[in-house]
Amino acid sequence: MNLCTDQLAMLLAEPGQLVSVSHIVSDPRASVMADQAAAYPANRGGAEQIFLMRPDLVLASTYSARTSVGLLRRLGVRVVELPPARRLADVPEHLRTVGAALGQEARAEALVAQFDAGLEALRAHGGRAARAALYYPNGYTTGAGTLADDILSVAGFANVGAEAGVTGGGTLPLERLVLAAPEMIVTSAPYPGASRSEEILHHPALEALRGRAAARMVSDGEWICGLPQILRAVAVMADARKELAP
């Protein structure tokens, strides 16, 4: 019933082991496994709907709806909750937790080994940390203590949001972003339709800053969850760092 735990389950489960996944996992803007999710019935996280599917186990996040999680437990359903990944080192831990819950420990260990090897191959060793800013609709950014911050660090960047004192997620005023003069600006791919929250990404001051700094546009799905596929985001940023001055 959660975007991130569902994708971990799809990576590890045997055919026929999963009863349902969250409807959000079918959204390619948020999920890197949207195609695979189409093979499963979708749920919307409601306790009544999930209970009627008669599962032996429910995988949830510590941020999943507390009323649904509590009701499922009172009805006798086993619920395993995972906190959101806040660093790349959480990926192996979460793989092992879900692998144990599904009885797929060997598969989990194989994925952990692949992930660890892939991460080490991408990790920046030494050199100057270039300064990067994560900047999203409404001026949202992610600072210290986040998965995105760790991705930047591993790839050889210092996070402007963390420098500005942001812990977790928060707003970085456009004025502070411009004054920080980052070498790299990372923004998300726009969603279809019109959104006033995205208008800030086309502000003349930001456009001028882009004229002086390098930029990358990334998919939300590759940065949100602590999955092995997050190595794609690390690779994009590692390549971006190589294009900047040493």
Side-chain angles (χ1 to χ4, degrees), residues 5-6 12 40 69 74 112 135 143 182 189 229 242:
T5 55
D6 288 8
L12 292 165
Y40 303 100
V69 170
R74 290 195 297 275
V112 167
Y135 208 65
Q229 292 93 327
K242 292 175 184 175

Side-chain angles (χ1 to χ4, degrees), residues 134-142 170-172 186-191 195-202 206 210 218 220:
L134 301 161
Y135 208 65
Y136 304 120
N138 276 335
Y140 181 82
T141 193
T142 47
T171 300
L172 182 65
V186 181
T187 58
S188 58
Y191 279 55
S195 169
R196 292 184 64 185
S197 68
E198 292 182 338
E199 290 180 5
I200 194 171
L201 301 180
H202 305 288
L206 185 56
R210 285 195 182 104
V218 299
D220 289 341

Side-chain angles (χ1 to χ4, degrees), residues 38-186:
Y40 303 100
N43 73 76
R44 292 188 170 271
E48 298 86 350
Q49 180 191 18
I50 292 172
F51 179 73
L52 291 174
M53 294 176 176
R54 303 178 65 83
D56 301 303
L57 168 71
V58 171
L59 293 171
S61 164
T62 52
Y63 282 88
S64 296
R66 308 320 301 159
T67 51
S68 292
V69 170
L71 179 54
L72 286 167
R73 283 183 167 144
R74 290 195 297 275
L75 290 169
V77 180
R78 180 187 174 207
V79 180
V80 172
E81 296 179 89
L82 270 73
R86 302 194 186 280
R87 54 188 185 140
L88 292 165
D90 290 339
V91 176
E93 180 182 341
H94 287 189
L95 281 167
R96 290 183 173 117
T97 298
V98 175
L102 296 175
Q104 302 294 344
E105 291 88 346
R107 290 187 185 185
E109 288 301 328
L111 286 175
V112 167
Q114 293 174 16
F115 175 80
D116 286 343
L119 181 59
E120 187 56 34
L122 292 169
R123 187 181 298 275
H125 295 282
R128 178 183 68 89
R131 297 172 66 251
L134 301 161
Y135 208 65
Y136 304 120
N138 276 335
Y140 181 82
T141 193
T142 47
T146 63
L147 191 56
D149 181 65
D150 204 18
I151 291 171
L152 291 181
S153 178
V154 166
F157 287 96
N159 185 354
V160 167
E163 291 177 358
V166 177
T167 300
T171 300
L172 182 65
L174 182 56
E175 295 86 348
R176 294 196 68 178
L177 174 65
V178 172
L179 289 172
E183 298 166 77
M184 173 69 64
I185 301 171
V186 181

